[in-house]
């Protein structure tokens, strides 16, 4: 019997697949649809303190090899998602969930996290340090000094289980430097990776999305090798108490298998979920189970992190 069950910190999940923040998670209705699918959990759309309309449309486009987006953090505001995850937490039989958050400034991030700290919510929080799409705001986690300062301040008051969503890194020294910072803090997980920021897709002679003259975050096939590299680089460098969520380019059971082989304990679906809907959870779970059965693996721990190298 093959099981794709997993855990993050003290939280148990019946299945290792869930949505990636930004996809199928804007409204209660979308979140409920993920909840009632084969997914093991859901994460909410990254919430800011106040609701935001986001960038002008078109701001998301699917391509043959993936997607490009510049949504600009449209969301219904912290209270909408915080109220919902508290309601869900109190519902008998519900799954554990993840609340995604970030402020429009470090001060706002602290205001948000202090509200969550003071609330009844006891579940996982994902602090998004990697939104590439708000004009004038850099991806926080590319600035190591600011990231270190924010985490230091956060952990001076925040005592609930917290993880961070990271942008992809592209240099071995950056993996080393980032991991050295993350290892100083009691993080429960890091999620690798957010979209590859600021790509450009052109059709005929024109960009395909309106914000930022067409520049936007890439997802899908374009990003799988980068995502796998980030999952494995952090798996090798982080304290074993910090677990890895793998996100990027997963559209088959084989892709999920590769993320887990690189060290992921949970795997998130972004572009494929946007393209295919919540049926993708069932299909990819079955494909992953078939690969595990063929290889004789019964649990994720039988192969998680056990990537082979060439001698
Ligand atoms: C958005 C995109 C991201 O990649 C992210 O991490 C947060 C928000 C967005 O454009 O809405």
């Amino acid at each position: 019997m093959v099981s794709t069950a997993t855990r993050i910190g003290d939280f148990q999940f019946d299945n290792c697949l869930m949505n990636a923040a930004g996809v199928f998670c804007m409204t209660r209705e979308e979140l409920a649809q993920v909840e009632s699918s084969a997914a093991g959990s859901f994460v909410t759309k990254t919430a800011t303190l106040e609701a935001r309309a986001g960038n002008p449309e078109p701001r998301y486009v699917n391509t043959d090899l993936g997607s490009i987006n510049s949504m600009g953090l449209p969301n219904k505001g912290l209270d909408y998602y915080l109220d919902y995850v508290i309601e869900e937490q109190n519902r008998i039989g519900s799954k554990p969930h993840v609340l995604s958050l970030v402020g429009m400034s470090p001060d706002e991030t602290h205001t948000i996290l202090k509200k969550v700290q003071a609330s009844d919510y006891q579940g996982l929080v994902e602090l998004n340090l990697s939104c590439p799409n708000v004009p004038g705001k850099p991806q926080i986690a590319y600035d190591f000094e600011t990231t270190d300062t924010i985490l230091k301040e956060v952990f001076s008051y925040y005592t609930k289980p917290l993880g961070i969503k990271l942008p992809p890194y592209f240099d071995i020294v950056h993996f080393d430097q980032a991991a050295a910072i993350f290892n100083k803090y009691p993080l429960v997980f890091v999620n690798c990776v957010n979209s590859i920021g600021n790509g450009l897709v052109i059709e005929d002679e024109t960009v395909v999305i309106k914000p930022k003259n067409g520049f936007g975050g890439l997802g899908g096939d374009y990003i799988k090798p980068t995502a796998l590299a980030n999952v494995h680089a952090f798996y090798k460098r982080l304290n074993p108490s910090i677990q890895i969520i793998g996100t990027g380019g997963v559209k088959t059971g084989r892709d999920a298998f590769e993320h887990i082989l690189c060290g992921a304990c949970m795997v998130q679906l972004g572009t494929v979920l946007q393209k295919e809907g919540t049926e993708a959870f069932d299909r990819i779970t079955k494909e992953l189970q078939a690969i595990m059965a063929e290889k004789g693996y019964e649990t994720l721990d039988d192969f998680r992190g056990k990537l082979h190298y060439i001698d």
Side-chain angles (χ1 to χ4, degrees):
M1 188 52 202
V2 164
S3 166
T4 59
T6 192
R7 47 191 308 159
I8 299 178
D10 296 332
F11 300 89
Q12 309 250 18
F13 303 89
D14 290 344
N15 188 8
C16 63
L17 300 182
M18 61 183 291
N19 68 302
V23 184
F24 253 93
C25 58
M26 180 73 83
T27 63
R28 284 171 174 250
E29 291 71 28
E30 286 180 334
L31 291 163
Q33 213 177 317
V34 176
E35 175 80 6
S36 63
S37 76
S41 183
F42 66 64
V43 56
T44 60
K45 173 65 185 172
T46 299
T48 49
L49 189 56
E50 308 295 340
R52 289 171 54 85
N55 292 337
E57 295 179 338
R59 58 190 186 180
Y60 179 103
V61 168
N62 285 319
T63 68
D64 288 348
L65 292 176
S67 63
I68 184 167
N69 88 83
S70 182
M71 304 299 289
L73 273 175
N75 76 93
K76 293 181 172 292
L78 173 65
D79 290 347
Y80 180 93
Y81 302 103
L82 183 56
D83 288 350
Y84 188 58
V85 291
I86 291 172
E87 247 177 61
E88 278 292 300
Q89 158 183 287
N90 297 335
R91 187 170 64 78
I92 293 165
S94 85
K95 305 167 185 178
H97 301 116
V98 185
L99 178 64
S100 174
L101 305 168
V102 75
M104 298 304 292
S105 65
D107 274 356
E108 189 183 306
T109 294
H110 296 312
T111 303
I112 289 171
L113 284 173
K114 283 175 183 175
K115 272 187 91 162
V116 178
Q117 175 70 32
S119 78
D120 289 336
Y121 183 59
Q122 306 299 338
L124 290 162
V125 165
E126 176 172 285
L127 178 61
N128 186 349
L129 297 180
S130 45
C131 176
N133 297 334
V134 180
K137 301 271 183 198
Q139 288 170 82
I140 297 167
Y142 283 150
D143 178 340
F144 290 143
E145 212 179 300
T146 301
T147 296
D148 196 7
T149 302
I150 288 174
L151 291 176
K152 188 172 169 192
E153 289 171 1
V154 164
F155 285 111
S156 72
Y157 59 85
Y158 197 80
T159 60
K160 293 178 174 179
L162 185 77
I164 50 179
K165 179 80 172 272
L166 297 177
Y169 298 101
F170 302 94
D171 193 288
I172 300 296
V173 170
H174 292 167
F175 291 137
D176 294 339
Q177 292 171 336
I181 293 168
F182 304 146
N183 277 333
K184 296 197 291 181
Y185 300 103
L187 291 163
V188 176
F189 68 85
V190 302
N191 185 342
C192 306
V193 294
N194 208 314
S195 51
I196 292 184
N198 296 297
L200 191 56
V201 172
I202 299 169
E203 249 170 39
D204 190 15
E205 300 185 16
T206 308
V207 301
V208 298
I209 56 172
K210 179 169 176 180
K212 294 171 63 177
N213 288 343
F215 285 60
L218 303 177
D221 296 358
Y222 304 114
I223 81 167
K224 192 180 80 168
T226 297
L228 293 175
N230 277 260
V231 168
H232 197 58
F234 284 106
Y235 180 73
K236 287 301 212 184
R237 285 167 177 74
L238 293 180
N239 302 331
S241 58
I242 307 179
Q243 288 171 286
I244 319 286
I245 299 177
T247 306
V250 176
K251 68 177 184 189
T252 65
R254 171 69 203 184
D255 301 324
F257 180 82
E258 290 177 9
H259 268 268
I260 297 160
L261 202 60
C262 287
C265 64
M266 192 110 198
V267 176
Q268 296 187 335
L269 308 185
T271 298
V272 74
L273 177 58
Q274 208 288 330
K275 288 183 175 178
E276 192 176 320
T278 54
E279 297 286 297
F281 291 115
D282 186 54
R283 174 180 64 77
I284 296 172
T285 302
K286 286 181 175 143
E287 291 170 0
L288 174 59
Q289 286 168 337
I291 293 167
M292 290 173 63
E294 196 201 315
K295 289 176 174 282
Y297 297 139
E298 292 178 356
T299 71
L300 302 192
D301 281 343
D302 291 345
F303 64 101
R304 192 166 54 83
K306 296 179 182 167
L307 178 65
H308 297 194
Y309 307 137
I310 300 169
D311 292 331

